[in-house]
mmCIF file of all heavy atoms in Angstrom:
data_model
loop_
_atom_site.group_PDB
_atom_site.id
_atom_site.type_symbol
_atom_site.label_atom_id
_atom_site.label_comp_id
_atom_site.label_asym_id
_atom_site.label_seq_id
_atom_site.Cartn_x
_atom_site.Cartn_y
_atom_site.Cartn_z
ATOM 1 N N ASP A 17 0.071 6.743 -9.987
ATOM 2 C CA ASP A 17 0.904 7.261 -11.072
ATOM 3 C C ASP A 17 1.781 8.419 -10.634
ATOM 4 O O ASP A 17 2.719 8.769 -11.330
ATOM 5 C CB ASP A 17 0.026 7.733 -12.231
ATOM 6 C CG ASP A 17 -0.183 6.646 -13.265
ATOM 7 O OD1 ASP A 17 0.398 5.568 -13.120
ATOM 8 O OD2 ASP A 17 -0.942 6.887 -14.217
ATOM 9 N N ILE A 51 -3.039 13.689 -6.502
ATOM 10 C CA ILE A 51 -2.642 12.294 -6.698
ATOM 11 C C ILE A 51 -3.116 11.859 -8.082
ATOM 12 O O ILE A 51 -4.303 11.996 -8.409
ATOM 13 C CB ILE A 51 -3.262 11.372 -5.625
ATOM 14 C CG1 ILE A 51 -2.861 11.852 -4.228
ATOM 15 C CG2 ILE A 51 -2.848 9.925 -5.854
ATOM 16 C CD1 ILE A 51 -3.586 11.132 -3.116
ATOM 17 N N GLU A 52 -2.190 11.374 -8.890
ATOM 18 C CA GLU A 52 -2.515 10.858 -10.222
ATOM 19 C C GLU A 52 -2.720 9.350 -10.107
ATOM 20 O O GLU A 52 -1.852 8.646 -9.584
ATOM 21 C CB GLU A 52 -1.408 11.176 -11.221
ATOM 22 C CG GLU A 52 -1.134 12.661 -11.398
ATOM 23 C CD GLU A 52 -2.298 13.433 -11.987
ATOM 24 O OE1 GLU A 52 -3.106 12.845 -12.752
ATOM 25 O OE2 GLU A 52 -2.424 14.634 -11.674
ATOM 26 N N LEU A 53 -3.860 8.869 -10.610
ATOM 27 C CA LEU A 53 -4.216 7.458 -10.473
ATOM 28 C C LEU A 53 -4.538 6.846 -11.833
ATOM 29 O O LEU A 53 -5.020 7.539 -12.725
ATOM 30 C CB LEU A 53 -5.436 7.307 -9.559
ATOM 31 C CG LEU A 53 -5.319 7.899 -8.166
ATOM 32 C CD1 LEU A 53 -6.680 7.998 -7.513
ATOM 33 C CD2 LEU A 53 -4.392 7.050 -7.323
ATOM 34 N N SER A 54 -4.296 5.557 -11.968
ATOM 35 C CA SER A 54 -4.688 4.797 -13.160
ATOM 36 C C SER A 54 -5.437 3.552 -12.712
ATOM 37 O O SER A 54 -4.954 2.814 -11.854
ATOM 38 C CB SER A 54 -3.451 4.371 -13.962
ATOM 39 O OG SER A 54 -2.819 5.486 -14.519
ATOM 40 N N PHE A 55 -6.590 3.350 -13.286
ATOM 41 C CA PHE A 55 -7.382 2.158 -12.994
ATOM 42 C C PHE A 55 -7.509 1.347 -14.287
ATOM 43 O O PHE A 55 -8.042 1.853 -15.278
ATOM 44 C CB PHE A 55 -8.775 2.530 -12.474
ATOM 45 C CG PHE A 55 -8.760 3.400 -11.255
ATOM 46 C CD1 PHE A 55 -9.214 4.702 -11.308
ATOM 47 C CD2 PHE A 55 -8.284 2.918 -10.046
ATOM 48 C CE1 PHE A 55 -9.214 5.505 -10.180
ATOM 49 C CE2 PHE A 55 -8.270 3.718 -8.920
ATOM 50 C CZ PHE A 55 -8.740 5.009 -8.986
ATOM 51 N N HIS A 56 -7.013 0.127 -14.273
ATOM 52 C CA HIS A 56 -7.061 -0.722 -15.468
ATOM 53 C C HIS A 56 -7.756 -2.028 -15.110
ATOM 54 O O HIS A 56 -7.554 -2.570 -14.023
ATOM 55 C CB HIS A 56 -5.639 -0.976 -15.978
ATOM 56 C CG HIS A 56 -5.618 -1.476 -17.377
ATOM 57 N ND1 HIS A 56 -5.841 -2.803 -17.703
ATOM 58 C CD2 HIS A 56 -5.407 -0.829 -18.551
ATOM 59 C CE1 HIS A 56 -5.774 -2.952 -19.002
ATOM 60 N NE2 HIS A 56 -5.496 -1.762 -19.552
ATOM 61 N N PRO A 62 -12.354 -0.617 -12.811
ATOM 62 C CA PRO A 62 -12.210 0.847 -12.829
ATOM 63 C C PRO A 62 -13.437 1.608 -12.335
ATOM 64 O O PRO A 62 -13.310 2.564 -11.572
ATOM 65 C CB PRO A 62 -11.917 1.151 -14.301
ATOM 66 C CG PRO A 62 -11.284 -0.096 -14.822
ATOM 67 C CD PRO A 62 -11.969 -1.208 -14.090
ATOM 68 N N GLU A 63 -14.625 1.187 -12.747
ATOM 69 C CA GLU A 63 -15.845 1.901 -12.341
ATOM 70 C C GLU A 63 -16.074 1.798 -10.840
ATOM 71 O O GLU A 63 -16.510 2.763 -10.209
ATOM 72 C CB GLU A 63 -17.051 1.366 -13.120
ATOM 73 C CG GLU A 63 -17.000 1.714 -14.595
ATOM 74 C CD GLU A 63 -18.133 1.093 -15.395
ATOM 75 O OE1 GLU A 63 -19.035 0.463 -14.792
ATOM 76 O OE2 GLU A 63 -18.109 1.230 -16.626
ATOM 77 N N LEU A 66 -13.542 4.117 -9.058
ATOM 78 C CA LEU A 66 -13.940 5.509 -9.245
ATOM 79 C C LEU A 66 -15.142 5.847 -8.354
ATOM 80 O O LEU A 66 -15.212 6.926 -7.750
ATOM 81 C CB LEU A 66 -14.275 5.769 -10.714
ATOM 82 C CG LEU A 66 -14.601 7.199 -11.080
ATOM 83 C CD1 LEU A 66 -13.441 8.124 -10.756
ATOM 84 C CD2 LEU A 66 -14.955 7.293 -12.560
ATOM 85 N N LEU A 69 -14.077 6.659 -4.792
ATOM 86 C CA LEU A 69 -13.562 8.014 -4.663
ATOM 87 C C LEU A 69 -14.687 9.045 -4.659
ATOM 88 O O LEU A 69 -14.677 9.991 -3.862
ATOM 89 C CB LEU A 69 -12.573 8.324 -5.793
ATOM 90 C CG LEU A 69 -11.267 7.556 -5.784
ATOM 91 C CD1 LEU A 69 -10.470 7.853 -7.044
ATOM 92 C CD2 LEU A 69 -10.462 7.889 -4.552
ATOM 93 N N GLN A 70 -15.663 8.866 -5.537
ATOM 94 C CA GLN A 70 -16.782 9.803 -5.607
ATOM 95 C C GLN A 70 -17.603 9.772 -4.306
ATOM 96 O O GLN A 70 -18.025 10.818 -3.814
ATOM 97 C CB GLN A 70 -17.695 9.511 -6.809
ATOM 98 C CG GLN A 70 -17.058 9.805 -8.150
ATOM 99 C CD GLN A 70 -16.852 11.287 -8.420
ATOM 100 O OE1 GLN A 70 -17.125 12.151 -7.602
ATOM 101 N NE2 GLN A 70 -16.326 11.590 -9.602
ATOM 102 N N LYS A 96 -11.596 17.964 -5.638
ATOM 103 C CA LYS A 96 -11.975 17.757 -7.030
ATOM 104 C C LYS A 96 -11.446 16.419 -7.511
ATOM 105 O O LYS A 96 -10.369 15.980 -7.101
ATOM 106 C CB LYS A 96 -11.380 18.908 -7.851
ATOM 107 C CG LYS A 96 -11.582 18.846 -9.324
ATOM 108 C CD LYS A 96 -11.140 20.116 -10.049
ATOM 109 C CE LYS A 96 -9.710 20.477 -9.786
ATOM 110 N NZ LYS A 96 -9.211 21.570 -10.629
ATOM 111 N N ILE A 97 -12.214 15.778 -8.409
ATOM 112 C CA ILE A 97 -11.772 14.558 -9.077
ATOM 113 C C ILE A 97 -11.930 14.784 -10.581
ATOM 114 O O ILE A 97 -13.030 15.072 -11.050
ATOM 115 C CB ILE A 97 -12.605 13.324 -8.658
ATOM 116 C CG1 ILE A 97 -12.507 13.096 -7.156
ATOM 117 C CG2 ILE A 97 -12.148 12.089 -9.422
ATOM 118 C CD1 ILE A 97 -13.444 12.012 -6.635
ATOM 119 N N GLU A 98 -10.822 14.697 -11.304
ATOM 120 C CA GLU A 98 -10.868 14.810 -12.763
ATOM 121 C C GLU A 98 -10.627 13.422 -13.341
ATOM 122 O O GLU A 98 -9.664 12.758 -12.985
ATOM 123 C CB GLU A 98 -9.803 15.772 -13.266
ATOM 124 C CG GLU A 98 -10.039 17.201 -12.821
ATOM 125 C CD GLU A 98 -8.978 18.144 -13.352
ATOM 126 O OE1 GLU A 98 -8.642 18.073 -14.548
ATOM 127 O OE2 GLU A 98 -8.473 18.931 -12.537
ATOM 128 N N VAL A 99 -11.529 12.992 -14.248
ATOM 129 C CA VAL A 99 -11.471 11.635 -14.787
ATOM 130 C C VAL A 99 -11.325 11.679 -16.307
ATOM 131 O O VAL A 99 -12.004 12.455 -16.979
ATOM 132 C CB VAL A 99 -12.761 10.856 -14.416
ATOM 133 C CG1 VAL A 99 -12.740 9.461 -14.997
ATOM 134 C CG2 VAL A 99 -12.935 10.811 -12.914
ATOM 135 N N THR A 100 -10.442 10.810 -16.826
ATOM 136 C CA THR A 100 -10.299 10.642 -18.273
ATOM 137 C C THR A 100 -10.530 9.175 -18.593
ATOM 138 O O THR A 100 -9.820 8.307 -18.069
ATOM 139 C CB THR A 100 -8.880 11.050 -18.740
ATOM 140 O OG1 THR A 100 -8.639 12.393 -18.348
ATOM 141 C CG2 THR A 100 -8.758 10.926 -20.247
ATOM 142 N N HIS A 101 -11.527 8.907 -19.421
ATOM 143 C CA HIS A 101 -11.789 7.538 -19.875
ATOM 144 C C HIS A 101 -10.811 7.267 -21.008
ATOM 145 O O HIS A 101 -10.858 7.920 -22.044
ATOM 146 C CB HIS A 101 -13.224 7.382 -20.371
ATOM 147 C CG HIS A 101 -14.235 7.594 -19.302
ATOM 148 N ND1 HIS A 101 -15.443 6.965 -19.285
ATOM 149 C CD2 HIS A 101 -14.223 8.357 -18.180
ATOM 150 C CE1 HIS A 101 -16.134 7.334 -18.220
ATOM 151 N NE2 HIS A 101 -15.406 8.179 -17.533
ATOM 152 N N GLN A 102 -9.926 6.296 -20.809
ATOM 153 C CA GLN A 102 -8.875 6.051 -21.791
ATOM 154 C C GLN A 102 -9.178 4.903 -22.736
ATOM 155 O O GLN A 102 -8.796 4.939 -23.892
ATOM 156 C CB GLN A 102 -7.550 5.797 -21.074
ATOM 157 C CG GLN A 102 -7.068 7.014 -20.330
ATOM 158 C CD GLN A 102 -5.742 6.778 -19.643
ATOM 159 O OE1 GLN A 102 -5.485 5.695 -19.127
ATOM 160 N NE2 GLN A 102 -4.906 7.796 -19.640
ATOM 161 N N LYS A 103 -9.885 3.888 -22.240
ATOM 162 C CA LYS A 103 -10.131 2.718 -23.086
ATOM 163 C C LYS A 103 -11.428 2.048 -22.679
ATOM 164 O O LYS A 103 -11.707 1.893 -21.487
ATOM 165 C CB LYS A 103 -8.962 1.741 -22.939
ATOM 166 C CG LYS A 103 -9.011 0.560 -23.865
ATOM 167 C CD LYS A 103 -7.772 -0.307 -23.678
ATOM 168 C CE LYS A 103 -7.851 -1.537 -24.550
ATOM 169 N NZ LYS A 103 -6.730 -2.440 -24.328
ATOM 170 N N THR A 104 -12.236 1.662 -23.691
ATOM 171 C CA THR A 104 -13.449 0.882 -23.449
ATOM 172 C C THR A 104 -13.454 -0.296 -24.416
ATOM 173 O O THR A 104 -12.735 -0.304 -25.414
ATOM 174 C CB THR A 104 -14.722 1.728 -23.689
ATOM 175 O OG1 THR A 104 -14.765 2.131 -25.053
ATOM 176 C CG2 THR A 104 -14.778 2.939 -22.785
ATOM 177 N N THR A 109 -17.921 -0.762 -22.022
ATOM 178 C CA THR A 109 -17.474 -1.021 -20.656
ATOM 179 C C THR A 109 -16.078 -0.435 -20.482
ATOM 180 O O THR A 109 -15.181 -0.683 -21.293
ATOM 181 C CB THR A 109 -17.435 -2.538 -20.374
ATOM 182 O OG1 THR A 109 -18.720 -3.089 -20.659
ATOM 183 C CG2 THR A 109 -17.074 -2.809 -18.927
ATOM 184 N N LEU A 110 -15.911 0.333 -19.429
ATOM 185 C CA LEU A 110 -14.616 0.957 -19.179
ATOM 186 C C LEU A 110 -13.558 -0.088 -18.852
ATOM 187 O O LEU A 110 -13.776 -0.973 -18.027
ATOM 188 C CB LEU A 110 -14.715 1.943 -18.013
ATOM 189 C CG LEU A 110 -15.476 3.231 -18.297
ATOM 190 C CD1 LEU A 110 -15.673 4.012 -17.005
ATOM 191 C CD2 LEU A 110 -14.732 4.069 -19.307
ATOM 192 N N GLN A 111 -12.420 0.032 -19.521
ATOM 193 C CA GLN A 111 -11.312 -0.861 -19.246
ATOM 194 C C GLN A 111 -10.140 -0.125 -18.619
ATOM 195 O O GLN A 111 -9.363 -0.706 -17.880
ATOM 196 C CB GLN A 111 -10.868 -1.563 -20.530
ATOM 197 C CG GLN A 111 -11.907 -2.523 -21.054
ATOM 198 C CD GLN A 111 -11.402 -3.274 -22.269
ATOM 199 O OE1 GLN A 111 -10.585 -2.768 -23.039
ATOM 200 N NE2 GLN A 111 -11.887 -4.493 -22.434
ATOM 201 N N SER A 112 -10.024 1.167 -18.924
ATOM 202 C CA SER A 112 -8.918 1.943 -18.381
ATOM 203 C C SER A 112 -9.372 3.378 -18.135
ATOM 204 O O SER A 112 -9.982 4.004 -18.998
ATOM 205 C CB SER A 112 -7.746 1.921 -19.363
ATOM 206 O OG SER A 112 -6.678 2.688 -18.862
ATOM 207 N N ILE A 113 -9.055 3.861 -16.922
ATOM 208 C CA ILE A 113 -9.405 5.230 -16.517
ATOM 209 C C ILE A 113 -8.181 5.853 -15.866
ATOM 210 O O ILE A 113 -7.472 5.187 -15.112
ATOM 211 C CB ILE A 113 -10.542 5.241 -15.465
ATOM 212 C CG1 ILE A 113 -11.830 4.661 -16.018
ATOM 213 C CG2 ILE A 113 -10.789 6.643 -14.938
ATOM 214 C CD1 ILE A 113 -12.915 4.512 -14.965
ATOM 215 N N SER A 114 -7.937 7.123 -16.158
ATOM 216 C CA SER A 114 -6.951 7.865 -15.367
ATOM 217 C C SER A 114 -7.711 8.930 -14.603
ATOM 218 O O SER A 114 -8.702 9.482 -15.104
ATOM 219 C CB SER A 114 -5.857 8.470 -16.242
ATOM 220 O OG SER A 114 -6.397 9.459 -17.084
ATOM 221 N N ALA A 115 -7.275 9.197 -13.394
ATOM 222 C CA ALA A 115 -7.973 10.169 -12.555
ATOM 223 C C ALA A 115 -6.947 11.025 -11.824
ATOM 224 O O ALA A 115 -5.858 10.566 -11.491
ATOM 225 C CB ALA A 115 -8.878 9.463 -11.552
ATOM 226 N N SER A 116 -7.335 12.267 -11.616
ATOM 227 C CA SER A 116 -6.514 13.188 -10.841
ATOM 228 C C SER A 116 -7.342 13.605 -9.636
ATOM 229 O O SER A 116 -8.435 14.152 -9.777
ATOM 230 C CB SER A 116 -6.153 14.402 -11.701
ATOM 231 O OG SER A 116 -5.375 15.295 -10.958
ATOM 232 N N LEU A 117 -6.827 13.319 -8.458
ATOM 233 C CA LEU A 117 -7.534 13.570 -7.208
ATOM 234 C C LEU A 117 -6.900 14.778 -6.515
ATOM 235 O O LEU A 117 -5.725 14.739 -6.159
ATOM 236 C CB LEU A 117 -7.410 12.315 -6.334
ATOM 237 C CG LEU A 117 -8.161 12.229 -5.034
ATOM 238 C CD1 LEU A 117 -9.659 12.225 -5.281
ATOM 239 C CD2 LEU A 117 -7.765 10.960 -4.294
#
Side-chain angles (χ1 to χ4, degrees):
D17 267 356
I51 303 171
E52 300 296 331
L53 303 165
S54 293
F55 303 113
H56 197 279
E63 292 175 5
L66 185 59
L69 293 174
Q70 291 290 3
K96 177 172 56 171
I97 301 172
E98 294 181 46
V99 178
T100 303
H101 296 211
Q102 295 181 323
K103 186 177 177 184
T104 63
T109 305
L110 288 172
Q111 293 184 330
S112 179
I113 297 173
S114 66
S116 179
L117 186 65

